[in-house]
Amino acid sequence: MHGAVFVQVEVWLNRVLDTMRATVRHEMTEAVSAYEEKPREQWLFDYPAQVALTCTQIWWTTDVGIAFSGLEDGNENAMKEYYKKQVNQLNTLITMLIGQLTPGDRQKVMTICTIDVHARDVVDKINKQKVENSQAFLWLSQLRHRWGEREKHCFANICDAQFLYSYEYLGNTPRLVITPLTDRCYITLTQSLHLVMSGAPAGPAGTGKTETTKDLGRALGIMVYVFNCSEQMDYKSCGNIYKGLAQTGAWGCFDEFNRISVEVLSVVAVQVSDIQDAIRDKKKRFNFMGEDVNLVPSVGIFITMNPGYAGRTELPENLKALFRPCAMVVPDFELICEIMLVAEGFIEARLLARKFITLYQLCKELLSKQDHYDWGLRAIKSVLVVAGSLKRGDPHRPEDQVLMRALRDFNVPKIVTDDMPVFMGLIGDLFPALDVPRKRDMDFEKFVKQSVLDLKLQAEDNFVLKVVQLEELLAVRHSVFVVGNAGTGKSQILKSLHRTYQIMKHRVVWADLNPKAVTNDELFGIINPATREWKDGLFSNIMRELANISHAGPKWIVLDGDIDPMWIESLNTVMDDNKVLTLASNERIPLNPTMRLVFEISHLRTATPATVSRAGILYINPSDLGWNPPVSSWIDQREVQSEKANLTILFDKYLPSCLDTLRSRFKKIIPVPEQSLVQMLCYLLECLLVPENTPPDSHKDLYELYFVFAAVWAFGGTMFQDQVDLHFL
């Protein structure tokens, strides 16, 4: 190591950051000037995704500016001609999406498509409203990127605010569909930054509060860190985050901010105010929590809130004054759906989007009100991803068949039995005369059947279908709720899929815990307020261990215990697109692509809409399994052949009529699920039929006596007496 120069790590890291920004800026300089040298669909493969996307946006602003100049010079068709050019460019990209692309290139083209559709719609609006001046609000209210030739910098303008692009390398990430709601939110957030304030989008779950903030950051080349706020956060852990953000100029988005306790929030108000004052005074360094720190003025602090949900507090007045509120209402689903279908390579996107959204609106109105039904934005998005992969897997199938298959097969697992005819009727009305078979993987089903038999269970079609549906859900959602009454076979479905993976030689890892068996602090960890020492929690520990396993096999964290908002809300950022567990110690544990959260629960009555919308749902109806398979599995375990035969006859003789009486008497409101009663009956019989009590084969009446005794015990005497033929007594 002779002559080596050792640099302090923080100096070295800052140099890495500077070089990264310089590289992105250099690439952008080249890409902007090379844009017109070759067709755009060739040009975009010469540069990284982030650079290609930003330069496309810069050239869009330039081209619209040229068209406005054309209008002013008397060419009435200048903007209309540009609109035609845009339509052709977009169609070229859609054609590329249908073809063969690497995953990286596909993501790049999809992202440029998403932004292009918005650019096309803006120009269409300009034409329809006959705007002839580049100073019109319709144009000024758009986020417009431009390249400053003199400064060799990229700037983003919106209304009267101007931002210098931050050149943070963000990678090949997807971008949001821009709707009128997004536009309004952009204006509010950028104006609040322009006035050195902070932004606070508020509204119901799944309206895009966090994602819009992240997307605005991406558009400005800024890194956005999302923090899931919880009661465990104190003023010091919040202060440390703010200190880091101020020194790097990154944005922080604090999700579910009103879950932090009021005492902490009043101190947080002072901390945020300190940063805002320092930016206003254009300071390079400022005093924060008693120490001098650097300040990068691009820093932004955003908070998102779900008003009125369980476990939320009201913000103190001194904090409210620092944030500009932005009401997020339900966005234009049809527009989002259309643009996402375009990005997935669908040609007839507009017509299909209308059918899609009509179906979801009708489901919301006509199906029963179940706690686990969610017909919102996240549910729409996951079906669109399925539709895209189905289209690529079967490119020659008509598009309406592809979408119909995705809508049917992805929603059927969560529909309750009573709603099924209505749901299938709606699908039939919207896609008349289409009967597309389910996409089946026969090899996989063969493995499932083998694993079910290995576990000494009954490989019934319904049960196998549920295992397959769980596998399909896990392929598109990283969090899944398996919902159903006790005894409906939830655990056995999970075990069967686990065993299937083992047979297929996938190295599957399964960690399970009951979140209700420990306190919140024991689950997620806690900071000692005096020593600032961190004590790790059970969930955070399991998640860190699984994140460190390097092989590509599936890794499941199974949370087997009923949901309550106090613990599950801390998993919000894990369950949504951020896929990061944020702890009170400011550690961030990412959920890697092979990891899945599986919740095994009996109902979602206490969950907030924020939770329900974040996961895929496999609902197991009591009628899916019935009483026969568990009874058959139990009888198969008995060793005496005559006993098996006698028990089978007795179950068939008594159980159906007994359960019918139970249903008619209680009108479906049964205190204990039917399956549990049947399991109790089997358990009591097991206690009675110990080897020394087993009657000889000739004593069929003795079997019946045992059976009746156990059944009266399990089902209650009055319930059973109508059914029993007591001649043998």
Side-chain angles (χ1 to χ4, degrees):
M1 292 298 287
H2 180 65
V5 180
F6 290 101
V7 194
Q8 287 162 307
V9 66
E10 61 274 24
V11 176
W12 179 83
L13 271 172
N14 277 322
R15 282 183 194 163
V16 171
L17 284 175
D18 294 341
T19 313
M20 168 192 73
R21 292 200 170 99
T23 310
V24 175
R25 184 178 165 194
H26 170 73
E27 285 281 319
M28 228 174 253
T29 315
E30 291 196 348
V32 167
S33 53
Y35 183 82
E36 290 189 301
E37 288 169 11
K38 55 167 91 168
R40 191 174 78 142
E41 60 276 10
Q42 291 170 23
W43 165 87
L44 62 87
F45 290 115
D46 297 344
Y47 298 95
Q50 184 182 347
V51 173
L53 180 65
T54 310
C55 291
T56 303
Q57 290 176 291
I58 291 170
W59 270 97
W60 171 62
T61 311
T62 311
D63 286 344
V64 174
I66 293 168
F68 272 128
S69 306
L71 287 174
E72 283 163 16
D73 293 345
N75 176 3
E76 290 177 8
N77 292 326
M79 198 61 81
K80 289 184 179 128
E81 284 161 10
Y82 177 54
Y83 177 71
K84 280 181 193 152
K85 179 184 167 187
Q86 279 185 302
V87 172
N88 292 335
Q89 282 185 335
L90 190 59
N91 287 342
T92 312
L93 290 187
I94 296 173
T95 318
M96 285 163 68
L97 283 170
I98 300 169
Q100 293 299 312
L101 290 171
T102 64
D105 282 344
R106 176 174 300 285
Q107 182 64 69
K108 182 196 247 180
V109 177
M110 276 169 86
T111 309
I112 292 179
C113 247
T114 308
I115 297 294
D116 265 13
V117 173
H118 174 65
R120 177 202 70 189
D121 291 349
V122 170
V123 174
D124 190 32
K125 249 186 219 161
I126 290 174
N127 282 326
K128 281 180 179 158
Q129 296 183 16
K130 297 190 169 53
V131 174
E132 291 174 358
N133 186 341
S134 61
Q135 294 307 302
F137 182 73
L138 173 63
W139 175 238
L140 289 181
S141 63
Q142 295 301 322
L143 188 62
R144 310 177 309 286
H145 289 71
R146 66 179 180 83
W147 185 255
E149 273 303 332
R150 198 177 72 251
E151 308 93 334
K152 288 277 183 279
H153 264 306
C154 172
F155 295 95
N157 294 68
I158 179 166
C159 300
D160 59 347
Q162 173 167 296
F163 300 92
L164 178 65
Y165 190 84
S166 285
Y167 305 106
E168 182 84 37
Y169 174 68
L170 302 171
N172 188 0
T173 49
R175 289 288 297 274
L176 269 199
V177 171
I178 300 174
T179 64
L181 175 69
T182 326
D183 273 336
R184 206 184 74 200
C185 187
Y186 276 6
I187 295 169
T188 311
L189 296 182
T190 47
Q191 283 297 305
S192 62
L193 287 170
H194 181 55
L195 300 169
V196 195
M197 289 177 72
S198 303
T207 45
K209 299 180 295 293
T210 312
E211 287 303 313
T212 306
T213 309
K214 278 168 63 182
D215 201 63
L216 181 59
R218 282 181 192 147
L220 301 177
I222 288 178
M223 188 70 201
V224 183
Y225 292 98
V226 179
F227 300 90
N228 192 26
C229 300
S230 66
E231 304 80 33
Q232 275 104 334
M233 282 177 112
D234 61 6
Y235 77 95
K236 280 187 177 164
S237 54
C238 287
N240 284 337
I241 296 174
Y242 295 141
K243 191 159 66 178
L245 294 174
Q247 292 178 85
T248 52
W251 287 3
C253 178
F254 295 81
D255 234 354
E256 321 287 356
F257 193 65
N258 47 351
R259 287 185 67 216
I260 301 177
S261 60
V262 179
E263 308 82 74
V264 175
L265 288 178
S266 1
V267 184
V268 166
V270 180
Q271 295 170 341
V272 175
S273 172
D274 282 351
I275 295 176
Q276 291 182 355
D277 291 344
I279 299 173
R280 234 176 247 120
D281 300 341
K282 298 191 165 45
K283 289 184 177 173
K284 293 274 185 282
R285 288 177 73 76
F286 75 115
N287 188 309
F288 186 75
M289 290 172 70
E291 63 179 292
D292 257 10
V293 295
N294 289 332
L295 175 68
V296 179
S298 64
V299 57
I301 293 165
F302 298 90
I303 60 176
T304 71
M305 293 175 297
N306 287 321
Y309 284 3
R312 307 291 202 278
T313 52
E314 187 62 34
L315 296 189
E317 292 301 320
N318 62 339
L319 187 60
K320 274 185 193 167
L322 305 174
F323 290 90
R324 278 197 69 169
C326 173
M328 299 289 281
V329 284
V330 179
D332 183 344
F333 287 160
E334 198 170 308
L335 179 66
I336 293 173
C337 187
E338 181 193 334
I339 296 177
M340 286 186 73
L341 283 168
V342 168
E344 292 285 358
F346 282 79
I347 307 287
E348 302 164 28
R350 185 158 290 178
L351 173 71
L352 293 175
R354 188 162 302 140
K355 288 190 170 189
F356 190 133
I357 300 307
T358 307
L359 174 73
Y360 269 37
Q361 279 170 342
L362 289 170
C363 284
K364 208 173 186 174
E365 290 161 15
L366 300 177
L367 300 191
S368 61
K369 299 284 176 275
Q370 300 288 332
D371 297 314
H372 66 269
Y373 283 175
D374 169 44
W375 307 104
L377 200 52
R378 289 188 175 107
I380 290 171
K381 205 173 141 198
S382 50
V383 174
L384 290 170
V385 172
V386 175
S389 61
L390 284 176
K391 180 164 175 62
R392 287 191 288 281
D394 192 354
H396 302 299
R397 190 178 280 280
E399 290 184 351
D400 53 349
Q401 292 190 14
V402 173
L403 186 68
M404 180 247 181
R405 179 190 262 175
L407 282 167
R408 183 194 60 200
D409 296 347
F410 197 73
N411 282 310
V412 160
K414 69 178 178 191
I415 305 284
V416 300
T417 311
D418 294 351
D419 287 338
M420 195 61 88
V422 184
F423 178 74
M424 294 313 281
L426 289 174
I427 292 248
D429 293 346
L430 282 167
F431 298 93
L434 280 192
D435 185 25
V436 193
R438 213 174 168 281
K439 190 176 182 204
R440 295 180 68 176
D441 179 348
M442 300 314 288
D443 291 339
F444 182 72
E445 287 187 27
K446 198 169 76 204
F447 287 128
V448 172
K449 282 181 178 153
Q450 186 187 331
S451 66
V452 172
L453 295 171
D454 284 357
L455 292 168
K456 298 198 164 40
L457 302 170
Q458 311 301 309
E460 293 211 339
D461 287 350
N462 258 351
F463 187 76
V464 171
L465 177 64
K466 284 291 171 195
V467 178
V468 173
Q469 285 174 340
L470 176 62
E471 206 268 340
E472 288 172 354
L473 265 176
L474 289 169
V476 285
R477 301 293 289 256
H478 57 279
S479 306
V480 172
F481 291 143
V482 183
V483 188
N485 282 335
T488 46
K490 300 188 296 291
S491 301
Q492 301 302 344
I493 287 170
L494 290 177
K495 283 177 189 164
S496 302
L497 184 56
H498 180 254
R499 177 80 191 119
T500 308
Y501 282 155
Q502 286 176 332
I503 293 173
M504 293 167 74
K505 300 285 186 287
H506 292 329
R507 294 164 66 184
V508 55
V509 182
W510 165 318
D512 52 3
L513 71 150
N514 179 356
K516 297 287 282 178
V518 289
T519 63
N520 234 5
D521 293 342
E522 288 167 333
L523 197 59
F524 296 110
I526 189 170
I527 291 181
N528 182 328
T531 60
R532 308 301 297 161
E533 189 183 1
W534 170 252
K535 191 162 184 281
D536 215 8
L538 184 59
F539 183 82
S540 44
N541 195 17
I542 290 176
M543 192 156 157
R544 196 181 298 106
E545 278 176 14
L546 292 194
N548 289 336
I549 299 174
S550 54
H551 67 69
K555 303 166 193 69
W556 295 355
I557 303 178
V558 179
L559 294 124
D560 187 351
D562 275 338
I563 277 176
D564 89 54
M566 301 326 283
W567 67 265
I568 196 153
E569 296 270 328
S570 300
L571 296 179
N572 274 355
T573 45
V574 190
M575 291 165 67
D576 64 21
D577 291 346
N578 296 297
K579 299 186 187 175
V580 172
L581 177 67
T582 52
L583 300 172
S585 62
N586 293 344
E587 183 187 1
R588 300 165 68 79
I589 307 171
L591 188 83
N592 69 36
T594 57
M595 285 163 69
R596 296 287 180 271
L597 290 183
V598 183
F599 299 81
E600 195 183 321
I601 46 182
S602 58
H603 61 80
L604 279 162
R605 280 194 287 272
T606 50
T608 63
T611 301
V612 178
S613 69
R614 279 175 160 86
I617 289 177
L618 180 71
Y619 184 76
I620 299 159
N621 290 288
S623 56
D624 285 344
L625 199 60
W627 61 267
N628 214 350
V631 166
S632 306
S633 296
W634 177 73
I635 291 177
D636 288 346
Q637 290 168 8
R638 309 303 296 164
E639 284 166 11
V640 184
Q641 199 54 45
S642 60
E643 189 174 293
K644 285 185 183 182
N646 282 322
L647 285 171
T648 307
I649 293 163
L650 289 168
F651 270 107
D652 286 343
K653 177 179 173 184
Y654 286 124
L655 213 54
S657 52
C658 185
L659 290 172
D660 284 345
T661 311
L662 199 62
R663 286 185 204 112
S664 60
R665 220 168 256 192
F666 279 102
K667 297 280 186 291
K668 289 189 181 172
I669 312 165
I670 301 175
V672 183
E674 285 177 15
Q675 271 92 346
S676 299
L677 290 172
V678 175
Q679 283 173 348
M680 200 191 307
L681 172 60
C682 294
Y683 174 71
L684 289 165
L685 281 168
E686 205 161 295
C687 297
L688 290 169
L689 294 168
V690 286
E692 57 270 24
N693 277 5
T694 303
D697 205 15
S698 53
H699 286 65
K700 282 197 174 62
D701 287 356
L702 207 48
Y703 271 113
E704 195 149 2
L705 188 62
Y706 279 151
F707 189 89
V708 170
F709 179 72
V712 168
W713 190 281
F715 286 86
T718 52
M719 192 56 59
F720 204 72
Q721 66 194 21
D722 317 347
Q723 316 303 324
V724 182
D725 169 15
L726 292 174
H727 71 277
F728 56 83
L729 289 176

